[in-house]
Amino acid sequence: MQIEICYLCIIKLLVLKKVYLDNNATTPCDPRVVEAMLPYFYEHPGNAASRSHPFGWEAEDAVDIARQQIAELIGADEKEIIFTSGATEADNLALKGVFEMYSRKGNHIITATTEHKAVLDSCKKLEKLGAEITYLEVGSDGRVDLATLEAAIRPTTIVLSIMWANNETGVIQPIKEIGDICAKHGILFMSDATQAVGKIPVNPRENGVHLMAFSAHKMYGPKGVGALYVSRKDPRVKVTAQMDGGGHERGMRSGTLNVPGIVGFGKAAEIARLEMAKDAERVSKMRDRLELGLKNALEEVYINGNREHRMPHVTNMSFKHVEGEGLMMTFNQNIALSSGSACTSASLEPSYVLVALGLGDDLAHSSLRFSLGRFNTEEDVDFAIKSITEGVNHMRNLSPIWEMYKDGVDLNSIQWEAH
Ligand SMILES: *Cc1c(COP(=O)(O)O)cnc(C)c1O
């Protein structure tokens, strides 16, 4: 067989600058994490549940160390860490496990419309099994209203699930205040903290959080491993296992532990604990530089979501009268990021998170999510400002709507005709 080599493609690959600004989708694995993991593929192949030989003991010891590193990052006891395959599984285990375990107390769950699909779809499934769900709306800044939240609590409420920080906007919820309300009413507080752990200080106990989901690959660890924090005292929380088998993880999650993955997760947690403050400062400066650069270069640019209570590495911006997916095509060979449109089946739907903030379909479709990370540089940011400015100008120059806007036509007064 003859393999044709496309020299042009190779040259393109070599010289094309590629900038990764999609760290909320997943982060690169830190090389120090990879190095820590490697011995656990071949040199130490044991199953952490094999109690009868040194290979098993070595694996168990490695898992214990990782559990400690992760517990230390979030101020928990290591017995409160249940390993899972990721945050999706942890969200499922928390909600479905609590619903099953506490069914005698009630069947009502409170969550918000801007939660991750792993939470929303778990709630939808539970509705079919007899749960009653309240989906709280959020304000235009993306935060839940505490009075509305408290008013939604019923005698049958068992758990409230509100994420720590949103994956699309970076908006941080008033976690401590929500924790106080849950404590006052004696209900469980579950939080999906996948976007917050490892990037800002997160301590479930100090904030009244009883169950908390997070994931290694959002904090410079490997994909396919995550954890559910389950409070062991005041209150001692139990969840019904959703996976039946060998009774691993104190009976809450059966399945052979992903030893290399867990070792990497632990190393990522240790690095985060030591370097989080420095990383956050550096990354937030780059984020501010990006926002300022784009706002200075372009008209009609909007930042979505609360700007004060926001993750340091995220900005979600709308470029009015520019369609985000089309805009991305002007630079997506060079810059990786996400738009405010989601492909559901054949159509392009505006992001449900941005719609929940009250953005019209047009502003939601014209948005881009930039999520910076540990491995980005100022050079990356300047390259993004330049490419996106060019892309927006290009799209607007082709757009009759932009022309009308520039001519001072009131676009709301136009009756659009559907074809
Ligand atoms: C990425 C993400 C998840 C899913 O995590 P996985 O480990 O990929 O399953 C859940 N919640 C939030 C907020 C996320 O950002």
Side-chain angles (χ1 to χ4, degrees), residues 167-203:
N167 42 299
E168 289 192 36
T169 58
V171 169
I172 299 171
Q173 295 293 350
I175 295 295
K176 178 82 176 75
E177 291 81 350
I178 299 172
D180 290 344
I181 293 172
C182 290
K184 185 173 139 195
H185 293 272
I187 62 176
L188 294 175
F189 183 15
M190 143 76 185
S191 185
D192 178 341
T194 312
Q195 291 293 347
V197 172
K199 309 211 182 94
I200 56 170
V202 166
N203 184 314

Side-chain angles (χ1 to χ4, degrees), residues 37-226:
M37 291 170 69
L38 284 176
Y40 292 90
F41 287 98
Y42 183 78
E43 281 169 66
H44 308 298
N47 183 325
S50 299
R51 292 274 156 75
S52 57
H53 53 69
F55 292 93
W57 305 335
E58 278 167 8
E60 193 186 10
D61 287 349
V63 168
D64 284 347
I65 290 169
R67 214 185 284 279
Q68 273 167 23
Q69 288 166 321
I70 293 160
E72 199 174 343
L73 174 67
I74 61 165
D77 185 282
E78 64 253 30
K79 291 203 188 77
E80 296 177 313
I81 306 295
I82 306 297
F83 286 118
T84 65
S85 63
T88 299
E89 190 192 336
D91 284 333
N92 273 264
L93 174 57
L95 291 164
K96 295 174 182 173
V98 160
F99 181 72
E100 238 182 284
M101 183 61 75
Y102 295 86
S103 61
R104 250 185 285 156
K105 189 187 171 226
N107 68 339
H108 181 232
I109 296 173
I110 302 171
T111 187
T113 54
T114 49
E115 291 291 304
H116 191 270
K117 284 286 180 193
V119 166
L120 292 177
D121 289 353
S122 293
C123 287
K124 271 198 204 129
K125 177 57 118 354
L126 290 174
E127 266 178 314
K128 289 194 189 126
L129 300 174
E132 289 179 39
I133 317 276
T134 300
Y135 298 94
L136 298 172
E137 304 206 335
V138 297
S140 59
D141 67 345
R143 297 183 103 209
V144 293
D145 176 62
L146 295 171
T148 313
L149 179 145
E150 186 162 16
I153 297 174
R154 307 174 190 170
T156 52
T157 306
I158 47 177
V159 62
L160 186 145
S161 183
I162 297 289
M163 69 206 313
W164 208 292
N166 186 272
N167 42 299
E168 289 192 36
T169 58
V171 169
I172 299 171
Q173 295 293 350
I175 295 295
K176 178 82 176 75
E177 291 81 350
I178 299 172
D180 290 344
I181 293 172
C182 290
K184 185 173 139 195
H185 293 272
I187 62 176
L188 294 175
F189 183 15
M190 143 76 185
S191 185
D192 178 341
T194 312
Q195 291 293 347
V197 172
K199 309 211 182 94
I200 56 170
V202 166
N203 184 314
R205 180 156 299 283
E206 283 176 1
N207 288 277
V209 171
H210 308 117
L211 296 132
M212 189 177 87
F214 52 114
S215 186
H217 79 99
K218 302 284 174 80
M219 48 180 276
Y220 312 100
K223 293 165 186 58
V225 57

